[in-house]
């Protein structure tokens, strides 16, 4: 099925709390798209640049030739197309984080008119080339994050089953309300993904059931099965491999790959 049958969706992957594993979800969805023949661009809008490091091998000491920082910087105004690199898995394209430079650009944009429009402006020329654009947002609402949310069609919220998970959820929802009130942008929540669940912990089970009720009350979808806390998941993510690329194809990795395909289908609009 070609692009004619499907539109293009820009999905922001977010939570205002760090350490929830947004990168695992961003990478999992990128690989799921590649595996089913969808065109995908992952935009790394997090200054830590974990998605960039894992998927491309570029680091703070050896950064990509160009980055999102160059694209958003009004001085350079580089077209997004010129900064996009091919990931280790060639079907995945990445717009790399500029690491510390991205922070500097965020501060600079805050003083300029239309800073919140920067992301939408940057992605417009390439948006027709991808079925999915996934934005890995940083765990804070600064100008780059607001700009990313403004450019998105929907937002996927990643939570882990810890007691402050719901605080992170509430804060992102407040940010979305601000977006609606002050920027006239109503951004739908595509759903919530629960990550890093430990099946042996009763408190995790309790928080998952709390999240289910929270989501049901507000008519927010919980997407896919909760993703387990597992060292092998981090290992594959850290080397930029998809769960369908696990050398011995264990059941957990096949299931996780299917899970990400299911989530991807649900975020497509």
């Amino acid at each position: 099925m070609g692009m004619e049958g499907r539109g293009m969706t820009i999905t922001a992957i977010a939570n205002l709390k760090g350490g929830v594993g947004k990168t695992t979800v961003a990478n999992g969805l990128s690989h799921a798209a590649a595996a089913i023949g969808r065109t995908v661009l992952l935009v790394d809008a997090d200054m830590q640049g974990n998605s960039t490091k894992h998927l491309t091998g570029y680091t703070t000491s050896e950064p990509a030739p160009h980055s999102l920082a160059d694209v958003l910087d009004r001085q350079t105004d580089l077209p997004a197309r010129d900064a996009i690199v091919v990931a280790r898995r060639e079907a995945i394209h990445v717009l790399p984080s500029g690491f510390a430079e991205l922070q500097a650009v965020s501060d600079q944009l805050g003083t300029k008119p239309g800073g919140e429009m920067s992301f939408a402006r940057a992605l417009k020329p390439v948006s027709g080339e991808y079925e999915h654009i996934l934005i890995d947002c940083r765990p804070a609402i600064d100008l780059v994050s607001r700009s990313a949310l403004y450019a998105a069609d929907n937002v996927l919220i990643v939570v882990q089953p810890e007691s402050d998970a719901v605080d992170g959820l509430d804060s992102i929802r407040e940010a979305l309300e601000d977006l609606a009130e002050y920027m006239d942008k109503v951004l739908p929540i595509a759903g919530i993904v629960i990550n890093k669940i430990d099946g042996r912990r009763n408190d995790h089970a309790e928080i998952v059931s709390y999240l289910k009720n929270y989501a049901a009350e507000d008519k927010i979808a919980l997407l896919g099965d909760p993703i387990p806390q597992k060292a092998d998941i981090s290992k594959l993510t850290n080397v930029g491999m998809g769960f369908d690329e696990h050398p011995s194809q264990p059941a957990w990795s096949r299931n996780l790959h299917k899970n990400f395909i299911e989530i991807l289908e649900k975020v497509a609009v």
Side-chain angles (χ1 to χ4, degrees):
M1 182 178 181
M3 297 250 328
E4 312 77 52
R6 267 195 306 268
M8 182 276 306
T9 311
I10 301 177
T11 301
I13 298 166
N15 190 317
L16 295 190
K17 182 184 175 297
V20 297
K22 281 184 300 84
T23 303
T24 300
V25 174
N27 291 13
L29 290 172
S30 302
H31 283 286
I36 59 174
R38 302 263 181 96
T39 46
V40 60
L41 171 67
L42 178 65
V43 182
D44 192 351
D46 190 342
M47 284 69 176
Q48 286 182 321
N50 289 332
S51 285
T52 298
K53 290 177 204 163
H54 303 332
L55 286 169
T56 69
Y58 287 118
T59 60
T60 39
S61 52
E62 288 185 25
H66 300 294
S67 72
L68 178 62
D70 302 315
V71 174
L72 298 181
D73 187 342
R74 300 253 173 111
Q75 260 74 57
T76 48
D77 211 19
L78 185 80
R81 188 177 281 104
D82 295 355
I84 291 169
V85 296
V86 172
R88 290 178 167 129
R89 184 174 194 160
E90 287 182 6
I92 300 172
H93 288 185
V94 178
L95 181 47
S97 161
F99 303 109
E101 285 174 23
L102 189 55
Q103 181 64 63
V105 169
S106 178
D107 297 342
Q108 172 217 99
L109 281 174
T111 65
K112 304 272 161 86
E116 269 94 355
M117 312 299 183
S118 311
F119 234 104
R121 207 172 125 248
L123 292 180
K124 200 171 182 187
V126 294
S127 60
E129 294 164 30
Y130 298 99
E131 286 154 288
H132 291 277
I133 295 180
L134 305 168
I135 308 174
D136 187 358
C137 297
R138 70 174 300 202
I141 286 291
D142 60 354
L143 192 115
V144 167
S145 300
R146 282 204 309 276
S147 179
L149 293 172
Y150 187 77
D153 297 309
N154 55 24
V155 60
L156 181 64
I157 303 173
V158 182
V159 295
Q160 74 190 107
E162 298 294 341
S163 51
D164 55 1
V166 181
D167 298 341
L169 252 179
D170 286 339
S171 345
I172 191 116
R173 295 185 70 196
E174 279 165 27
L176 296 181
E177 281 165 21
D178 283 351
L179 210 61
E181 188 172 346
Y182 300 109
M183 293 175 65
D184 209 21
K185 163 83 181 189
V186 177
L187 184 64
I189 297 174
I192 295 170
V193 171
I194 300 172
N195 190 26
K196 296 188 178 180
I197 185 168
D198 184 338
R200 298 161 303 185
R201 286 178 51 177
N202 289 338
D203 61 328
H204 275 203
E206 283 163 19
I207 292 164
V208 167
S209 115
Y210 178 83
L211 285 168
K212 281 181 178 164
N213 292 334
Y214 175 105
E217 268 177 34
D218 288 359
K219 298 185 172 53
I220 301 171
L222 282 182
L223 302 185
D225 293 324
I227 298 161
Q229 168 84 294
K230 198 175 176 61
D232 282 356
I233 290 178
S234 303
K235 280 180 195 161
L236 278 180
T237 300
N238 291 351
V239 294
M241 287 171 74
F243 298 108
D244 60 319
E245 295 180 314
H246 191 295
S248 53
Q249 288 294 300
W252 68 264
S253 123
R254 293 198 309 274
N255 291 339
L256 202 49
H257 179 58
K258 280 188 204 134
N259 198 31
F260 276 116
I261 291 173
E262 185 188 319
I263 296 168
L264 187 78
E265 295 291 6
K266 297 272 171 60
V267 300
V269 290

